[in-house]
Amino acid sequence: MVLLKNLRPPTEGVRHEQAETTAVMNGQKLGCGTLYVAETRLLWFDGSGMGFSLEYPTIGLHAISRDVSAYPQEHLYVMVNGKLTGENEADMTEKAADDEEDDSSNSSCGDDDDEEAITEIRFVPSDKVALESMFSAMCECQALHPDPEDDDSDNDFEGEEYDVEEAEAEHGHADIPSFYTCDEGLSALTQEGQATLERLEGMLAHSVAQQYHMAGVRTEEANAEFEDGMEVDASAMEAGQFEDADVEH
Amino acid sequence: MESEGTESPLSGLVPVAEVFNSIRERTIAENSMVVLLQGLQGEVTTVDLRNECTARGRVVNVDAFMNVRLKDVLYRDRRGKLTRLQDLFITGRNVRYVHIPDHMDIMKTIQSQLAKIHRVRNFASHGGGRKEYSKKK
């Protein structure tokens, strides 16, 4: 198996770096090195600069394995679609595409890549606690590389904020309710709306007075004067309660 | 989305790129059946992969690109060998089927997911929410 040589750490976008990590590819130990989880690609190489890199679109899944009965050490499992030739990533992705094309010409329903080769890679860090960070970093980076060939999702979003009001104006209907500011809202009320508003405000004022009796909590006294119910009833305190507070305690 | 916890662009200062990604994901999600999968959060289900593997576990998150994150997973490879995995992230492109648990009401799930999206979006438009990202009129 051919591996790349003279690999160097990525210069930017490194979400996680894990030293003392052994890489095992399809069961074969490649040695101990450093794993770089970068936004552009996944990179692993040993002290001599020999290793490999993975492009996120080729990664099918990744996982944390803590089941030592399945594999003797806790590790990060990565499944790559296609075979890693090691020459360069272009080779690998082309190979995967070729596999797909062969399959679709052979099988009756075109888009299943049934027998596509996969590569299983295990990253075994000496520090097992780091597995969660390694996993999370990969999740984040994977999410940065959505499938460009995905025809199903409606990707006509062009980078502008989706403005609800603009969309409503275009489509001419407002079945999605919007909120109004106070001034806008008042002027938009019909007579019926106005009456409803007055009734509701009356109910609200009335219910605040009952606030202190709610939920079975006994308090000093209910004071309907304070409409927002937020103020403390100062008269409940004993006179001179704080007179003996001595600043020099 | 990370994309976990995608619904907090309003609660603190967030880099603009993250907000747009979140907006973009919401737009994509509400126009596709992915909203149904997003409603599976917390449920235990089976995901069939395109390469004949299957994974059964609890759904942690599904993003707009159908990337599925599961935990406490029983993973079956193509040869039928079973492995337990603590956390698993499946790239959206690799998903063939996601099993919907029998007890789930599909219509209700879709409706409540869409309602969540609309609530978040409307809070950010005129009248509420932070002003940093509102358009000048």
Side-chain angles (χ1 to χ4, degrees):
Chain A
M1 172 176 29
V2 180
L3 293 175
L4 297 173
K5 295 171 186 155
N6 299 319
L7 286 169
R8 258 157 256 210
T11 44
E12 55 181 9
V14 177
R15 294 290 184 106
H16 189 91
E17 183 182 321
Q18 192 63 33
E20 293 183 30
T21 298
T22 304
V24 183
M25 192 181 290
N26 288 332
Q28 187 181 0
K29 277 206 173 88
L30 299 180
C32 193
T34 304
L35 175 69
Y36 295 90
V37 183
E39 288 166 5
T40 47
R41 58 179 54 84
L42 199 68
L43 202 56
W44 179 91
F45 54 87
D46 64 16
S48 72
M50 187 195 67
F52 59 91
S53 80
L54 299 173
E55 298 288 314
Y56 290 104
T58 64
I59 295 177
L61 59 85
H62 62 274
I64 296 179
S65 172
R66 293 202 193 268
D67 183 359
V68 292
S69 61
Y71 189 85
Q73 282 154 60
E74 299 181 350
H75 62 278
L76 181 71
Y77 173 81
V78 178
M79 186 180 75
V80 180
N81 296 324
K83 282 257 176 268
L84 227 67
T85 62
E87 282 299 326
N88 51 51
E89 296 89 49
D91 269 5
M92 187 168 78
T93 47
E94 274 174 31
K95 199 146 174 53
D98 284 343
D99 284 341
E100 282 184 56
E101 280 172 22
D102 284 354
D103 284 339
S104 42
S105 60
N106 288 340
S107 63
S108 49
C109 58
D111 55 354
D112 279 347
D113 35 353
D114 287 347
E115 290 307 318
E116 189 177 307
I118 60 167
T119 304
E120 293 183 310
I121 302 175
R122 298 175 204 270
F123 293 107
V124 192
S126 59
D127 177 12
K128 307 303 177 198
V129 172
L131 280 173
E132 318 240 331
S133 313
M134 289 159 73
F135 177 81
S136 299
M138 277 196 69
C139 289
E140 287 166 21
C141 294
Q142 196 74 53
L144 297 172
H145 297 261
D147 184 12
E149 289 172 15
D150 189 354
D151 294 325
D152 291 342
S153 69
D154 198 356
N155 277 336
D156 53 13
F157 173 81
E158 277 162 1
E160 286 176 24
E161 210 173 310
Y162 178 71
D163 191 330
V164 171
E165 302 212 346
E166 244 180 62
E168 283 175 2
E170 277 175 20
H171 299 123
H173 62 81
D175 53 351
I176 303 168
S178 309
F179 295 139
Y180 292 104
T181 59
C182 190
D183 296 331
E184 285 176 329
L186 281 178
S187 57
L189 282 179
T190 61
Q191 249 190 346
E192 210 180 285
Q194 189 75 29
T196 307
L197 178 62
E198 280 166 9
R199 181 168 55 85
L200 288 174
E201 286 193 328
M203 281 170 61
L204 201 62
H206 182 63
S207 74
V208 165
Q210 321 219 320
Q211 188 174 335
Y212 290 113
H213 292 302
M214 276 165 40
V217 175
R218 279 186 65 242
T219 51
E220 294 295 312
E221 42 192 286
N223 198 330
E225 256 179 44
F226 300 109
E227 279 191 15
D228 62 356
M230 293 293 281
E231 294 171 35
V232 174
D233 190 355
S235 62
M237 291 197 312
E238 286 177 28
Q241 184 173 350
F242 295 118
E243 266 176 18
D244 60 346
D246 188 351
V247 180
E248 290 174 31
H249 270 324
Chain B
M1 208 4 156
E2 348 285 80
S3 307
E4 329 78 307
T6 48
E7 300 304 350
S8 60
L10 307 169
S11 56
L13 281 177
V14 171
V16 176
E18 273 187 43
V19 175
F20 281 140
N21 219 30
S22 204
I23 293 172
R24 176 188 176 204
E25 286 194 39
R26 275 204 291 276
T27 308
I28 294 172
E30 74 168 339
N31 287 315
S32 87
M33 288 296 287
V34 143
V35 280
L36 171 58
L37 301 186
Q38 291 176 328
L40 287 180
Q41 221 178 46
E43 300 287 333
V44 174
T45 187
T46 302
V47 179
D48 291 3
L49 276 67
R50 290 173 79 176
N51 59 11
E52 314 295 310
C53 306
T54 69
R56 181 166 180 81
R58 194 168 298 275
V59 178
V60 173
N61 189 54
V62 178
D63 68 15
F65 312 112
M66 222 189 297
N67 295 320
V68 179
R69 203 167 144 167
L70 301 173
K71 70 174 179 190
D72 301 329
V73 179
L74 199 60
Y75 178 76
R76 177 194 295 270
D77 70 13
R78 291 194 289 191
R79 281 165 266 130
K81 178 177 158 206
L82 289 172
T83 320
R84 264 182 317 222
L85 298 167
Q86 178 186 298
D87 279 290
L88 171 63
F89 179 102
I90 305 170
T91 307
R93 188 175 178 273
N94 274 63
V95 174
R96 177 182 284 155
Y97 302 126
V98 177
H99 295 239
I100 311 291
D102 287 338
H103 67 84
M104 281 191 60
D105 182 332
I106 292 180
M107 276 308 297
K108 280 213 180 93
T109 305
I110 294 177
Q111 281 164 350
S112 79
Q113 285 300 120
L114 289 175
K116 277 185 201 168
I117 291 175
H118 294 155
R119 268 203 301 275
V120 172
R121 178 180 298 138
N122 289 329
F123 182 73
S125 69
H126 299 291
R130 301 181 72 99
K131 300 290 181 239
E132 286 94 319
Y133 302 122
S134 59
K135 280 188 169 171
K136 293 200 176 123
K137 288 256 160 137

